[in-house]
Amino acid sequence: MRTSLSLVLTFALPLILLVATGLGKNSAALGGTEFRISLALTVGLVSIGTVGYSLAIARDRDTGVFQRLRVTPAPTWTIMVSRWIVQLGAVLVMAIVVLVVAALFVGVTLPPQDYLFTVLVALLGSAVFLSIGQAIVGLIASADTLNAAGRLLYVPLIGLSLFGDTDRLGTTVELVSRWSPGGCLETLLSAAMGATPWSGQLWGALFASFGYTVVFAVIGIRWFRWVSH
Amino acid sequence: MIPALRVSGLRVAYGSIVAVDSIDLEVREGEIYGLLGPNGAGKTSALSAIEGLLRPAAGDIVIGDVDARAHPLQAKAQLGVQLQTTSFHSSLTLVEIVRLYAGLYGVTLTSAQIRELLGQINLQKEASKRFRELSGGQQQRFSLLIATIHDPALVLLDEPTAGLDPQARRQLWDRIERFRKEGRSILLTTHSMEEAQAVCDRVAIMDHGKILTVGTPAALIAAHRDDPQVRQAAHGPVTLEDVFIALTGRELRD
Ligand SMILES: Nc1ncnc2c1ncn2[C@@H]1O[C@H](COP(=O)(O)OP(=O)(O)O)[C@@H](O)[C@H]1O
Ligand SMILES: [Mg+2]
């Protein structure tokens, strides 16, 4: 039940956003079509990498799935790495679905190399959001807490990134928004799709993304416990 | 003949709580060994240390001829484990779980062999169900199948019959007997004296992290028959439970 719900959220939410942001007169105020695609991809990444991942890990830790794996002769690190690979695979599928829908129904087609860049940036973004997910399960032991509050993560991770290109809420908000994990990802995605030229800000976004990944991964691995109590 | 398991001076602590306080135990080859104790006695902690799930504060653990602390992966490969609470990936079917765990233990099974194994524990119709969709008894049989998928010489079972109905319990006892006939050694924990008497060759009574006494059920009864506390606990002929209550006290444990 829960599995299928998160599956729907994972694939339907980005697509709904992609289509819905194109409806209505004010859609242009949010940004162009590339912005809509990058928003959809960011939502998909947060959903798979942060929310979906941390809920799945917390649940499996609670029910003893990990302890059962840990008594097999498989080296412990393979247990985590196999989970990351599964999430990366899901991100890949999600990104391809979003780009195909964008091409077929939103009318955005990219030159072939931009598709490649976009998918590569999506995978880089997975590292950022997976490490955030890892930090969350490292710091929060209880699956119940995560179940209740996990979806609130969308607010800082996506909500913040929405204001990166507008100073309507003030320059501080814009700055925070632009340099938030979601903001960096959208900067990189829109460049990958050829909407913005390569610039110093892109290097900044790239470095910030690496920095977020390292910091959150270290927190998430250092404080991770295999049992919840 | 080397013992299936030799534990000496094992100590497990969680911060300042000492859960296992320097215990020694030896499971002989082909033996069913019962670790008895009230809740919180330290049974699961002792097994967890043997299984490599936690690092003991002190002690030696030798499984067959493998030093488990020096060679944990090699030790795990020889060990069959059923944890007190266990679960498997919620997205996988029983067949997929069997294939996964067979792979982790380096065993290759054909689809026909997997069906055959599920058939032996009466789960052929459940082959494409998920673990959580099974009844308690079915889950128990399935996790025991996973525990022995690699034909281990030593099997550790943590409260294997907790929550089972009498039919399922009897069936499990038969399986455990069959394991022994196949040449395996078994270390199990329980708080059922009936179970200890029915299946265990030897039992150790444990409380507050220490092993209080070890022997065959009959020998323990004979040795403690005349203790004043045992006499006081007994209603009629002295049972293993009377010995247990006399040694571990009457107050309730959580
Ligand atoms: N992860 C843990 N952290 C802190 N204390 C624990 C932990 N696990 C068990 N304990 C404590 O260690 C003692 C032994 O517990 P346990 O080994 O589970 O006993 P048993 O299996 O015999 O019921 C108990 O006092 C229990 O509260
Ligand atoms: Mg226990």
Side-chain angles (χ1 to χ4, degrees):
Chain A
M1 206 32 227
R2 184 172 295 148
T3 318
S4 55
L5 176 68
S6 55
L7 207 66
V8 167
L9 281 177
T10 298
F11 288 98
L13 205 60
L15 296 179
I16 290 169
L17 265 171
L18 182 61
V19 175
T21 49
L23 306 172
K25 292 196 206 74
N26 291 327
S27 62
L30 276 171
T33 40
E34 283 82 6
F35 174 79
R36 291 162 52 198
I37 296 171
S38 70
L39 181 63
L41 288 172
T42 307
V43 170
L45 280 173
V46 173
S47 162
I48 295 169
T50 307
V51 179
Y53 176 74
S54 57
L55 289 182
I57 297 292
R59 184 195 56 216
D60 285 354
R61 173 167 61 185
D62 232 31
T63 53
V65 172
F66 287 135
Q67 291 297 77
R68 185 61 193 82
L69 286 168
R70 285 181 69 220
V71 299
T72 71
T76 302
W77 61 267
T78 59
I79 298 172
M80 265 321 167
V81 170
S82 66
R83 293 310 186 91
W84 296 340
I85 291 171
V86 169
Q87 300 306 100
L88 286 179
V91 164
L92 205 58
V93 172
M94 183 277 301
I96 290 169
V97 169
V98 165
L99 290 171
V100 167
V101 169
L104 296 181
F105 302 103
V106 186
V108 181
T109 50
L110 306 175
Q113 76 270 22
D114 287 1
Y115 277 118
L116 186 65
F117 284 140
T118 306
V119 169
L120 285 178
V121 170
L123 290 177
L124 169 72
S126 319
V128 177
F129 288 105
L130 269 175
S131 69
I132 295 175
Q134 187 71 42
I136 287 163
V137 283
L139 297 175
I140 300 177
S142 146
D144 289 338
T145 309
L146 271 173
N147 263 322
R151 297 193 207 289
L152 293 179
L153 289 166
Y154 285 108
V155 176
L157 292 177
I158 298 187
L160 257 184
S161 70
L162 288 174
F163 307 106
D165 288 318
T166 163
D167 53 8
R168 249 180 283 172
L169 294 175
T171 44
T172 314
V173 173
E174 186 198 337
L175 213 62
V176 170
S177 174
R178 178 167 299 162
W179 295 105
S180 72
C184 289
L185 179 64
E186 278 168 24
T187 303
L188 291 171
L189 281 172
S190 69
M193 286 184 273
T196 46
W198 192 256
S199 70
Q201 201 197 326
L202 289 179
W203 282 111
L206 201 58
F207 275 119
S209 298
F210 278 121
Y212 283 131
T213 306
V214 170
V215 169
F216 286 121
V218 166
I219 293 173
I221 292 168
R222 167 70 184 74
W223 276 282
F224 186 76
R225 293 285 169 272
W226 292 102
V227 282
S228 51
H229 40 79
Chain B
M1 204 153 57
I2 59 166
L5 171 70
R6 206 174 60 243
V7 169
S8 47
L10 181 67
R11 212 178 134 81
V12 174
Y14 304 100
S16 61
I17 303 170
V18 177
V20 178
D21 194 357
S22 299
I23 64 166
D24 301 323
L25 63 85
E26 186 176 292
V27 179
R28 298 171 190 153
E29 206 177 281
E31 178 175 53
I32 303 179
Y33 188 103
L35 196 54
L36 265 63
N39 282 332
K43 307 180 294 296
T44 297
S45 301
L47 290 193
S48 300
I50 297 166
E51 292 152 359
L53 287 177
L54 52 79
R55 192 197 307 268
D60 293 318
I61 299 162
V62 183
I63 296 167
D65 54 7
V66 178
D67 178 341
R69 296 193 66 188
H71 306 285
L73 298 187
Q74 226 174 309
K76 285 172 180 177
Q78 306 211 1
L79 212 54
V81 176
Q82 183 175 13
L83 300 171
Q84 190 170 349
T85 51
T86 206
S87 191
F88 299 96
H89 301 68
S90 55
S91 57
L92 300 184
T93 65
L94 299 192
V95 170
E96 291 163 343
I97 296 169
V98 173
R99 191 169 289 129
L100 169 69
Y101 277 87
L104 291 174
Y105 283 105
V107 179
T108 37
L109 295 173
T110 63
S111 298
Q113 285 171 317
I114 293 176
R115 272 197 305 278
E116 156 86 24
L117 285 173
L118 289 173
Q120 283 170 13
I121 55 168
N122 248 313
L123 290 178
Q124 63 274 60
K125 283 206 294 294
E126 283 73 19
S128 39
K129 283 194 177 172
R130 325 272 142 172
F131 181 71
R132 64 175 188 282
E133 296 166 341
L134 304 179
S135 74
Q138 291 173 327
Q139 289 192 343
Q140 212 289 328
R141 300 206 296 277
F142 183 74
S143 59
L144 201 58
L145 168 67
I146 296 295
T148 52
I149 197 92
H150 55 303
D151 198 17
L154 174 64
V155 183
L156 308 187
L157 308 170
D158 200 355
E159 296 194 19
T161 54
L164 295 186
D165 64 23
Q167 284 79 4
R169 205 149 66 109
R170 294 289 159 138
Q171 205 179 44
L172 180 66
W173 292 353
D174 291 343
R175 295 203 87 79
I176 293 173
E177 289 284 357
R178 209 164 326 138
F179 286 160
R180 190 214 339 236
K181 290 210 186 81
E182 293 162 358
R184 289 182 232 283
S185 314
I186 291 112
L187 170 58
L188 61 84
T189 73
T190 180
H191 7 232
S192 159
M193 302 303 136
E194 186 198 355
E195 181 162 304
Q197 254 170 326
V199 300
C200 296
D201 301 312
R202 285 194 304 154
V203 298
I205 295 178
M206 183 172 186
D207 200 11
H208 302 299
K210 291 196 162 71
I211 288 182
L212 306 173
T213 183
V214 186
T216 64
L220 289 189
I221 293 170
H224 295 274
R225 190 192 306 278
D226 297 319
D227 293 3
Q229 281 142 317
V230 175
R231 293 242 67 93
Q232 203 192 339
H235 304 263
V238 172
T239 63
L240 189 59
E241 183 155 309
D242 299 326
V243 175
F244 180 86
I245 290 287
L247 290 173
T248 61
R250 285 168 175 276
E251 78 272 26
L252 283 175
R253 313 297 171 85
D254 302 318

